[in-house]
């Protein structure tokens, strides 16, 4: 076998570097390889050295394609997909992508959109079009829709990263290679463990060219498939087209052969393992109490290696499979030990301080951020319209006048070089995305956009554009890396942290959108992890430390299964750090917390002097947390008031809550968060309302709508006018005029009733709001006219359990209506009567819509309770035999009207009720989750009554836990007795005024919503 490295060396020494190209996986591998190759030349200077990442090779080849398409970056791709999924148009016929929305009126969360983008990119990488997906569920139907729209948008004009690879794979032409690299006759592909199908096709296409010789260099030992399976696949594919294989790449026969042959091999025990005493003492396992102590121990050992062994900081590396939750700990601990470190972080552009400052200065609407990045500038008004060219000039000018570059480079600020480089990189990327956006808009023929629109688009692109915020440094520091970056790097001392089950190897997560065609299947992922671990074993020259923390909060952690595999091959020494508390206060607290957690009575040993005074507080915190997590001795700290902690008076007060009259809203607060209910309704805290504005507030809008509609229908009924559906043109005009009159008079009353922020007669904001409401009400009326079902609006504002004057006495009653044993009060906006059925209608001006899971998990009670109440009220007034058909939301929002189903029976769909989408009435789609079979409908109402009883029982017993701890369930025949916990438990926290005072953020089980 020829020695390929020698061939390369000879060519360099003969000044023929332009005759070969080397392809490597990453940019750092490229730099390292360039340094090595330059070292072969006697003058240490090489012209035309061609070392590329795969991405830049592809770009060079694609540059030869004619006609070529314009490239769109990942950030712009995200913007397009965002605009496809959440179009700006008010057209209610636009496809809705319901499967990706948490509820109908909420936009698709950013994290869901990222999932969609990833899936589409994976499909494109494999060359699968939208047509290849079997759309057999709503999620896939929506995914196909998005993918088709995205492909249509790309058309023949644009191309994304995956598109370039695919295009070259499917249309490979040796001319591309010859034109891009006219002198090259040798291509060396080095160090890859994964290659996509498209990339393999391109590379094997190059290999098939008559004048080109290709080498694939990898570390591969035949016979150990358990370690090398993924690589063996690549080797086979390259071998099949005559590529030369160098299988000894980056493997030192002396040091690594033993692991290469035996690691993960089932029959390893039967092999003569030949334990090397040199190696045996070099792998050490540490078992810190938790992750904080883990970082402490690493810092302690680094200090020791530097002081005792003269080890250089740059010869030490700390590696994690996933660095995420360690970044903060390292940032707190390493400086306390005086250890400088470098951590190359890839972050979204919106995290850059410079970019934040630029966004804050782009329009006069933003509040400029304080800071050192801008001289004073005068931004334009947010509504000003710009042609894309003009916008580009505007931004260039603003940055120039603001002297941003000069501020970044200001030597007076003494920023370190890494920070400055990170800021320059962010600035450069920002300019690139402005240029890209303007060029795309121009090509799309956009003549003008408002400044606000540009800013919104740019912000979205920036959120999905990454930059290196701490570029690699040559300074003397400890390197902190993710395992993926470790590759061929070597250090004297290596620490592998978080070496526990589930973290490394990571648990396999099926592809959430297309589980049957995953990007990497479970086996491939496991083999990737195995090879990564083998790389760790190749990365140290003297000592490797494996850290397996024992606990994380209340959970026990188990060492990684890879540790057992390693122990079968090498002597692994378990060590303990003699006195880990020596280091810092946080080290002491970490050890102390482990001690109190495991021993029933905390020790009396003295605390370090600097925190001795905090001892009573620390003991109290320990007592409370231990109770919350483990012993549950002090239930009052979990929101559960027990007999022992309550005075007799307070006990009686709580117990008397069984007799209270409850509103649905009140119980829905309890359902969302019992603790919020406790503060609101038991302690009766009052939150200062937001300042009133010139516009109609949400509350004012709601009450105005209710007043107008009530008077309108009530008057027509009293005046015995025809139902709207039977009006001829003239009568309909008259009805419209009545509605206008009522809107004007009621709006005027509202305006005059304002006590603060008084509104003048011609206030523009107010007038605009009223006009929008007028348009929506006209649409409502037009919709009512075309309803066409034998159903009549019959009762309006029917109240029960309310002392004040009855607005609509015919069906209302002052007595509360009981649901189970619970006395309820409320007001039903409207009851429509049909043939043996009735519907209740709730008027809404807000955007929220209740979905079935919220009814099922007991968070939404209104429609099911009102349907049962309406039935009782109707029966009390002779309406025996009328059965509930549906609970509907009539939504008047902005200048639109829609009718949506909240809960309804399948059998009456289209006969007793319909939905209105803004243009016409249609039976509700059979895929709509709010539609239930008749038996399920009855069971669901009964289930909700059960919740009501359950909540009132819990209130009177004093149970007020935080949202994260509540299990909302009531058993029923239909649903069984499985607890149904809401999917996003902390959703109610998003709008809660007590977020800062309750401890929800401190609880580990929190699953916040994405946005
Ligand atoms: S922030 Fe969340 S947990 Fe805390 S009181 Fe509000 S809803 Fe409850």
């Amino acid at each position: 076998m020829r020695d390929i490295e020698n061939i390369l060396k000879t060519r360099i020494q003969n000044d023929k570097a332009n005759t070969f190209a080397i392809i490597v996986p990453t940019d750092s591998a490229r730099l390292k390889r360039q340094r090595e190759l330059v070292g072969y030349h006697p003058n240490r200077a090489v012209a035309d050295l061609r070392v590329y990442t795969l991405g830049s090779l592809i770009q060079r080849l694609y540059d030869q394609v004619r006609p070529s398409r314009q490239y769109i970056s990942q950030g712009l791709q995200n913007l397009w997909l965002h605009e496809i999924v959440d179009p700006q148009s008010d057209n209610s016929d636009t496809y809705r992508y319901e499967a990706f929305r948490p509820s109908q009126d909420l936009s698709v969360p950013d994290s869901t959109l990222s999932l969609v983008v990833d899936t589409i990119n994976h499909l494109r990488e494999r060359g699968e079009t939208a047509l290849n997906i079997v759309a057999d569920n709503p999620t896939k139907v929506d995914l196909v829709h998005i993918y088709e729209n995205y492909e249509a948008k790309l058309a023949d004009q644009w191309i994304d990263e995956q598109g370039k690879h695919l295009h070259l794979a499917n249309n490979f032409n040796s001319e591309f290679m010859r034109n891009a690299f006219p002198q090259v006759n040798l291509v060396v592909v080095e160090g890859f463990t994964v290659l996509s199908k498209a990339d393999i096709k391109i590379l094997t296409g190059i290999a098939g060219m008559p004048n080109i010789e290709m080498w694939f260099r990898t570390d591969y030992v035949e016979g150990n498939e358990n370690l090398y399976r993924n690589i063996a696949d690549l080797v086979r594919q390259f071998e099949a087209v005559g590529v030369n294989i160098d299988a000894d790449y980056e493997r030192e026969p002396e040091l690594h052969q033993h692991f290469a042959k035996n690691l993960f091999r089932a029959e390893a025990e039967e092999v003569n393992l030949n334990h090397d005493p040199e190696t045996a003492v070099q792998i050490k396992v540490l078992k810190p109490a938790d992750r904080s102590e883990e970082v402490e121990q690493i810092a302690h050992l680094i200090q020791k290696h530097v002081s005792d062994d003269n080890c250089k900081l740059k010869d030490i590396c700390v590696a994690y499979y996933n660095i995420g939750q360690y970044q903060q700990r390292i940032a707190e601990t390493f400086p306390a030990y005086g250890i400088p470190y470098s951590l190359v972080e890839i972050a979204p552009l919106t995290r850059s301080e410079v970019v934040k400052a630029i966004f804050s200065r782009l329009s006069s609407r933003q509040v400029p951020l304080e800071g050192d990045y801008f001289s004073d500038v005068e931004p334009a008004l947010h509504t000003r319209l710009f042609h894309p060219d003009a916008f580009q000039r505007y931004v260039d000018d603003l940055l120039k006048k603001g002297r941003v570059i000069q501020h970044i480079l200001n030597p007076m600020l003494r920023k370190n070089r890494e920070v400055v480089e990170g800021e320059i990189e962010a600035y450069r990327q920002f300019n690139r995305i402005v240029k890209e956006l303007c060029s795309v808009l121009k090509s799309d023929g956009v003549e003008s956009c408002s400044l606000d629109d540009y800013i919104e688009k740019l912000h979205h692109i920036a959120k999905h554009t990454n930059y290196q915020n701490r570029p690699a440094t040559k300074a003397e520091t400890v390197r902190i890396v993710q395992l993926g970056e470790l590759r061929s790097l070597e250090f004297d001392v290596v620490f592998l942290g978080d070496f526990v089950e589930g973290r490394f190897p990571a648990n396999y997560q099926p592809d959430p959108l297309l589980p049957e065609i995953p990007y990497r299947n479970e086996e491939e992922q496991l083999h990737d992890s195995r090879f990564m671990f083998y790389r760790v074993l190749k990365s140290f020259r003297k000592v490797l430390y494996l850290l397996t923390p024992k606990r994380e909060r209340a959970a026990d952690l188990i060492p990684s299964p890879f540790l057992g595999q390693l122990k079968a091959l090498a002597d692994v020494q378990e060590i303990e750090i003699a006195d880990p508390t020596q280091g810092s206060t946080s080290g002491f607290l970490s050890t102390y917390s482990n001690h109190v957690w495991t021993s029933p009575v905390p020790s009396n040993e003295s605390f370090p002097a600097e925190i001795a005074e905090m001892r009573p507080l620390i003991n109290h915190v320990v007592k409370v947390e231990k109770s919350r997590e483990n012993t549950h001795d002090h239930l009052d700290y979990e929101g559960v008031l027990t007999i022992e902690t309550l005075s007799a008076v307070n006990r009686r007060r709580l117990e008397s809550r069984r007799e209270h009259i409850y509103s649905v809203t009140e119980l829905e607060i309890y359902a969302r968060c019992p603790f919020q209910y406790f503060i609101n309704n038991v302690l009766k805290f009052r939150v200062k309302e937001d300042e009133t504005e010139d516009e109609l507030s949400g509350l004012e809008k709601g009450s105005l709508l209710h007043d107008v509609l009530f008077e309108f229908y009530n008057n027509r009924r009293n005046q015995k006018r025809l139902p709207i559906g039977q009006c001829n043109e003239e009568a309909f005009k008259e009805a419209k005029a009545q509605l206008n009159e009522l809107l004007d008079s009621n709006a005027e009353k509202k305006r005059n009733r304002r006590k603060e922020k008084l509104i003048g007669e011609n206030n523009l904001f107010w007038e605009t709001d009223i006009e929008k409401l007028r348009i929506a009400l006209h649409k409502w009326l037009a919709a009512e006219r075309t309803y066409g079902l034998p159903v009549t609006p019959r009762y309006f504002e029917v109240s029960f359990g309310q002392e004040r004057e009855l607005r609509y006495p015919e069906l209302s009653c002052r007595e509360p209506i009981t649901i189970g044993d619970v006395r309820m009060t409320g007001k039903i906006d409207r009851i429509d009567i049909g043939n043996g059925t009735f519907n209740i209608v709730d008027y809404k001006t807000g955007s929220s819509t209740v979905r079935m899971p919220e009814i099922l998990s007991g968070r939404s009670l209104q429609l099911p309770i009102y349907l049962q109440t309406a039935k009782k009220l109707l029966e009390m007034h002779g309406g025996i035999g009328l059965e509930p058909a549906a609970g509907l939301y009539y939504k008047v929002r902005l200048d639109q009207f829609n009718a949506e189903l909240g809960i309804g029976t399948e059998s009456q769909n289209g006969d007793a009720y319909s939905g209105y989408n803004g243009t016409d009435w249609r039976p509700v789609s059979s895929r709509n989750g709010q539609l239930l079979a008749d038996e399920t409908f009855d069971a669901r109402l009964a289930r909700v009554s059960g919740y009501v009883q359950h909540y009132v029982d819990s209130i009177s017993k004093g149970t007020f836990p935080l949202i994260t701890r509540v299990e909302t369930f009531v058993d029923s025949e239909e649903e069984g007795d499985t607890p149904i916990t809401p999917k996003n438990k902390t959703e109610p926290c998003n709008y809660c005024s007590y977020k800062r005072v309750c401890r929800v953020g401190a609880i580990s089980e929190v699953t916040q919503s994405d946005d």
Side-chain angles (χ1 to χ4, degrees):
M1 160 78 75
R2 288 175 301 153
D3 180 351
I4 177 65
E5 197 62 23
N6 251 329
I7 297 175
L8 297 175
K9 195 172 178 179
T10 313
R11 287 196 185 197
I12 287 175
Q13 286 165 349
N14 294 335
D15 290 328
K16 288 195 171 154
N18 62 345
T19 58
F20 66 86
I22 297 186
I23 319 299
V24 293
T26 60
D27 221 39
S28 52
R30 181 181 63 82
L31 293 172
K32 182 172 174 252
R33 194 65 172 117
Q34 271 175 344
R35 275 197 298 273
E36 277 170 9
L37 294 171
V38 168
Y40 290 153
H41 197 279
N43 300 340
R44 304 203 160 258
V46 183
D48 295 329
L49 193 56
R50 303 182 193 286
V51 185
Y52 302 114
T53 58
L54 193 57
S56 55
L57 170 81
I58 299 294
Q59 182 58 50
R60 273 154 206 272
L61 295 179
Y62 189 77
D63 286 345
Q64 311 303 320
V65 174
R66 295 288 177 278
S68 71
R69 295 191 238 163
Q70 207 173 322
Y71 174 69
I72 62 151
S73 69
Q74 201 189 350
L76 200 75
Q77 181 194 40
N78 251 284
L79 174 69
W80 280 8
L81 286 161
H82 165 72
E83 289 178 345
I84 288 170
V85 175
D86 275 320
Q88 295 296 300
S89 101
D90 287 338
N91 179 1
S92 55
D93 283 344
T94 319
Y95 191 82
R96 300 278 304 143
Y97 303 104
E98 300 289 2
F100 296 133
R101 290 174 200 278
S103 84
Q104 216 174 32
D105 280 338
L106 290 181
S107 53
V108 176
D110 219 37
S111 57
T112 310
L113 189 63
S114 296
L115 265 183
V116 171
V117 176
D118 284 349
T119 307
I120 288 179
N121 282 339
H122 292 158
L123 288 166
R124 290 177 64 68
E125 208 174 290
R126 284 196 294 253
E128 314 241 22
T129 65
L131 292 175
N132 301 359
I133 307 172
V134 184
D136 53 5
N137 66 35
T139 306
K140 288 193 205 160
V141 171
D142 280 4
L143 181 69
V144 168
H145 237 276
I146 297 173
Y147 193 3
E148 280 170 349
N149 280 328
Y150 177 60
E151 284 183 322
K153 172 102 183 152
L154 287 171
D156 291 334
Q157 195 181 354
W158 311 101
I159 195 151
D160 57 15
E161 187 59 36
Q162 288 68 25
K164 281 194 287 187
H165 292 239
L166 261 184
H167 180 89
L168 288 173
N170 294 334
N171 308 281
F172 184 75
N173 183 334
S174 45
E175 285 304 307
F176 300 158
M177 187 68 194
R178 262 186 230 115
N179 293 340
F181 307 101
Q183 319 288 334
V184 169
N185 56 19
L186 170 65
V187 176
V188 187
V189 180
E190 296 180 348
F192 285 87
T193 49
V194 182
L195 279 165
S196 72
K197 269 189 194 160
D199 292 338
I200 290 178
K201 219 165 150 192
I202 298 168
L203 291 173
T204 50
I206 297 173
M209 288 171 63
N211 297 324
I212 288 202
E213 178 185 359
M214 183 178 279
W215 282 75
F216 180 64
R217 306 185 75 190
T218 184
D219 172 353
Y220 173 54
V221 173
E222 229 177 314
N224 189 1
E225 282 273 307
N226 284 351
L227 174 61
Y228 286 103
R229 171 144 338 147
N230 295 345
I231 301 207
D233 279 348
L234 293 180
V235 168
R236 275 193 286 272
Q237 293 183 66
F238 280 110
E239 251 174 357
V241 290
V243 172
N244 300 292
I245 307 292
D246 168 17
D248 297 325
Y249 184 65
E250 290 184 337
R251 190 178 64 251
E252 294 283 336
E254 304 271 293
L255 295 171
H256 310 139
Q257 196 69 10
H258 171 58
F259 292 127
K261 277 175 76 177
N262 296 303
L263 194 62
F264 300 112
R265 203 161 136 171
E267 65 275 28
E269 277 152 358
E270 294 161 24
V271 177
N272 177 10
L273 290 181
N274 183 23
H275 280 242
D276 177 350
E278 278 291 295
T279 315
V281 291
Q282 291 179 342
I283 304 179
K284 306 184 183 199
V285 175
L286 284 142
K287 296 187 169 173
D290 56 23
R291 291 190 165 111
S292 298
E293 192 179 297
E294 175 187 341
V295 177
E296 289 280 335
Q297 291 192 348
I298 293 175
H300 174 83
L301 283 166
I302 291 175
Q303 270 189 341
K304 217 163 145 357
H305 278 286
V306 172
S307 61
D308 300 357
D309 312 336
N310 263 336
C311 185
K312 289 191 174 141
L313 288 171
K314 70 177 173 52
D315 288 329
I316 301 175
C317 171
V318 182
Y320 292 95
Y321 178 74
N322 191 342
I323 220 159
Q325 56 177 304
Y326 281 90
Q327 275 190 21
Q328 188 59 30
R329 288 180 168 113
I330 290 173
E332 282 164 9
T333 311
F334 277 32
Y337 280 79
I339 300 173
Y341 67 94
S342 57
L343 169 60
V344 176
E345 207 194 328
I346 306 289
L349 211 45
T350 38
R351 289 244 298 268
S352 143
E353 294 303 320
V354 186
V355 172
K356 280 186 207 164
I358 298 176
F359 271 112
S360 81
R361 306 269 179 158
L362 277 181
S363 90
S364 59
R365 190 145 75 151
Q366 268 93 22
V367 183
L369 283 180
E370 295 285 326
D372 307 317
Y373 292 107
F374 259 91
S375 302
D376 259 356
V377 284
E378 200 55 58
L381 204 63
H382 64 280
T383 47
R384 185 166 144 193
L385 298 176
F386 284 94
H387 181 271
D389 282 340
F391 177 70
Q392 172 82 63
R393 282 196 299 277
Y394 168 72
V395 176
D396 290 348
D397 225 37
L398 200 80
L399 298 180
K400 211 156 152 200
K401 281 193 189 136
R403 296 172 52 81
V404 180
I405 279 287
Q406 287 81 350
H407 284 284
I408 295 177
L409 296 173
N410 186 353
M412 301 301 286
L413 297 177
R414 294 171 198 276
K415 285 181 278 189
N416 74 36
R417 200 175 61 84
E418 282 172 61
V419 172
V420 173
E421 276 183 28
E423 288 173 348
I424 292 283
E425 164 72 2
Y427 180 80
R428 205 181 55 76
Q429 292 270 16
F430 180 79
N431 277 301
R432 185 190 61 70
I433 64 172
V434 173
K435 206 165 153 204
E436 184 182 23
L437 176 66
C438 292
S439 135
V440 165
L441 290 176
K442 233 167 77 177
S443 305
D444 271 352
V446 171
E447 280 300 317
S448 75
C449 270
S450 73
L451 183 51
D452 253 1
D453 278 349
Y454 281 107
I455 294 175
E456 202 185 311
K457 286 179 199 297
L458 269 182
H459 198 264
H460 195 94
I461 300 176
K463 216 160 60 173
H464 296 278
T465 300
N466 289 331
Y467 82 111
Q468 267 196 13
N469 73 354
R470 290 172 65 118
T473 167
K474 290 194 197 87
E476 182 66 9
T477 57
V478 170
R479 285 280 293 274
I480 317 280
V481 297
Q482 307 241 66
L483 276 184
E485 297 163 39
L486 198 56
R487 294 191 171 266
S488 54
L489 300 179
E490 264 190 31
F491 301 86
D492 282 349
V493 181
V494 172
F495 294 88
L496 173 60
D498 210 14
F499 192 43
V500 294
E501 191 174 86
R503 306 285 300 188
F504 183 56
N507 282 336
Y508 180 71
Q509 310 253 355
D511 194 314
L513 303 182
L514 292 175
E516 67 280 15
I517 30 174
Y519 174 60
R520 298 289 279 168
N521 66 30
E522 190 166 1
E523 205 169 301
E524 285 167 336
Q525 185 187 297
L526 177 66
H527 282 88
D528 286 344
S529 298
R530 286 178 173 180
F531 201 78
M532 246 182 235
F533 184 54
Y534 168 59
R535 270 193 177 141
V536 174
L537 297 177
K538 292 199 294 179
S539 68
F540 72 98
R541 289 184 286 253
K542 294 183 179 161
V543 194
L544 169 66
Y545 292 100
L546 303 169
L547 288 109
T548 60
K550 287 193 251 183
R551 295 164 48 85
E552 177 68 9
R553 294 180 165 273
D556 288 332
L557 303 175
I558 298 169
S560 163
F562 287 177
L563 183 59
Q565 313 267 1
L566 180 66
K567 280 181 174 170
L569 298 183
D571 285 337
V572 176
Q573 194 187 0
E574 279 193 21
I575 59 163
E576 275 181 30
I577 304 288
D579 186 3
T581 65
Q582 241 175 11
S584 64
T585 303
S586 54
F588 168 77
L589 286 176
S590 166
T591 318
Y592 184 70
S593 70
N594 186 45
H595 156 73
V596 290
W597 207 263
T598 44
S599 52
V601 186
S603 92
N604 281 329
E605 302 266 317
S606 60
F607 269 31
E610 63 272 27
I611 51 169
E613 274 183 19
M614 287 166 69
R615 186 162 196 151
L617 180 62
I618 291 170
N619 284 344
H620 174 74
V621 172
V622 165
K623 180 184 90 175
V624 170
E625 287 306 319
K626 221 169 160 179
S627 164
R628 281 174 175 154
E629 295 285 347
N630 205 349
T631 60
H632 304 286
D633 294 336
H634 305 282
L635 283 174
D636 37 342
Y637 285 103
E638 294 176 50
V640 179
L641 305 175
T642 52
I643 296 186
E644 301 81 51
T645 51
L646 284 169
S647 68
V649 176
N650 284 337
R651 248 187 351 251
R652 274 198 302 280
R653 275 196 190 143
L654 278 175
E655 191 50 42
S656 73
R657 286 191 165 256
R658 283 191 193 283
E659 309 309 321
H660 270 210
I661 300 172
Y662 288 91
S663 72
V664 162
T665 322
E666 198 180 340
L667 290 180
E668 283 182 349
I669 295 178
Y670 186 86
R672 287 196 302 267
C673 175
F675 186 68
Q676 193 188 54
Y677 175 90
F678 179 68
I679 304 181
N680 261 337
N681 299 61
V682 181
L683 300 183
K684 296 196 190 310
F685 277 30
R686 284 294 158 257
V687 177
K688 197 168 171 286
E689 296 292 337
D690 286 348
E691 223 178 87
T692 339
E693 295 292 344
D694 274 2
E695 304 137 61
L696 270 168
S697 70
L699 268 180
E700 283 170 326
K701 220 175 276 176
S703 108
L704 180 57
L705 175 81
H706 280 81
D707 288 349
V708 172
L709 287 175
F710 172 72
E711 283 186 40
F712 176 73
Y713 284 110
N714 201 32
N715 292 351
R716 287 189 71 83
R717 208 168 156 259
N718 292 341
Q719 293 159 7
K720 305 217 175 343
R721 292 186 185 251
L722 284 175
I724 298 294
Q726 293 168 25
C727 283
N728 59 19
E729 206 48 47
E730 201 176 325
F732 185 66
K733 252 193 200 160
E734 214 179 294
K736 231 172 169 177
Q738 282 168 354
L739 198 60
N740 283 343
E741 213 174 285
L742 284 171
L743 177 63
D744 291 335
S745 60
N746 276 292
E748 198 54 17
K749 272 191 230 159
K750 281 254 152 359
R751 191 173 66 80
N752 292 330
R753 230 179 273 153
R754 274 241 177 156
K755 294 214 171 57
E756 50 182 293
K757 202 102 198 247
L758 303 180
I759 305 272
E761 211 172 327
N762 299 319
N763 182 299
L764 193 63
F765 291 113
W766 181 272
E767 274 181 10
T768 316
D769 275 350
I770 302 296
E771 282 323 299
K772 277 191 198 151
L773 198 54
R774 191 185 314 278
I775 296 171
L777 284 170
H778 286 182
K779 289 188 176 166
W780 169 304
L781 217 55
E784 284 271 89
R785 198 173 175 206
T786 55
Y787 192 28
L789 295 182
V791 178
T792 321
R794 179 73 180 76
Y795 305 103
F796 309 96
E797 300 223 355
V798 177
S799 61
F800 50 96
Q802 295 183 353
E803 284 296 315
R804 57 176 178 262
E805 193 195 338
L806 299 180
R807 210 165 173 186
Y808 193 88
E810 196 179 326
L811 200 62
S812 304
C813 78
R814 283 184 205 280
E815 284 304 304
I817 296 291
T818 54
I819 296 290
D821 293 338
V822 180
R823 303 189 318 145
M824 306 273 316
T825 177
K827 180 170 66 63
I828 304 169
D829 289 342
R830 174 169 141 181
I831 302 177
D832 292 356
I833 304 291
N835 291 333
T837 61
F838 70 90
N839 306 322
I840 59 161
V841 176
D842 191 59
Y843 302 156
K844 272 197 180 309
T845 48
S847 60
S848 66
T849 301
V850 171
R851 315 306 305 168
M852 192 49 76
E854 289 158 68
I855 295 179
L856 200 54
S857 63
R859 275 191 174 177
S860 173
L861 312 170
Q862 189 195 32
L863 292 182
I865 295 299
Y866 281 8
L867 279 165
Q868 295 179 67
T869 311
K871 184 167 164 59
K872 288 191 182 183
L873 289 169
L874 286 165
E875 280 170 2
M876 281 155 62
H877 291 82
I880 311 276
L882 287 175
E883 289 301 326
L888 298 150
Y889 293 113
Y890 277 18
K891 293 173 85 173
V892 172
R893 193 167 130 63
L894 304 173
D895 49 5
Q896 294 295 326
F897 165 66
N898 290 71
E900 288 171 11
L901 182 66
I903 181 167
T905 55
E906 245 164 31
S907 61
Q908 297 294 337
N909 183 18
D911 293 330
Y913 64 89
S914 287
Y916 188 75
N917 61 5
T919 11
D920 52 4
W921 293 95
R922 282 189 202 151
V924 175
S925 151
S926 58
R927 275 177 40 210
N928 187 315
Q930 316 297 104
L931 201 58
L932 301 173
D934 291 9
E935 322 76 66
T936 316
F937 177 85
D938 292 341
R940 201 69 39 104
L941 300 196
R943 182 181 182 83
V944 171
S945 309
Y947 278 120
V948 168
Q949 188 67 58
H950 176 71
Y951 295 152
V952 172
D953 287 349
S954 305
I955 291 168
S956 46
K957 280 187 205 143
T959 308
F960 304 106
L962 289 190
I963 183 69
T964 45
R965 300 298 165 106
V966 71
E967 280 178 349
T968 46
F969 82 93
V970 173
D971 59 340
S972 74
E973 230 174 81
E974 171 73 14
E975 314 291 353
D977 58 0
T978 325
I980 297 174
T981 311
K983 219 168 165 195
N984 179 2
K985 291 191 227 168
T986 54
E987 197 182 8
C989 308
N990 293 342
Y991 304 101
C992 177
S993 316
Y994 311 124
K995 192 152 45 185
R996 286 179 178 217
V997 293
C998 88
R999 48 184 289 286
V1000 68
I1003 296 175
S1004 56
E1005 68 211 78
V1006 167
T1007 46
Q1008 284 286 6
S1009 84
D1010 317 296
D1011 277 345

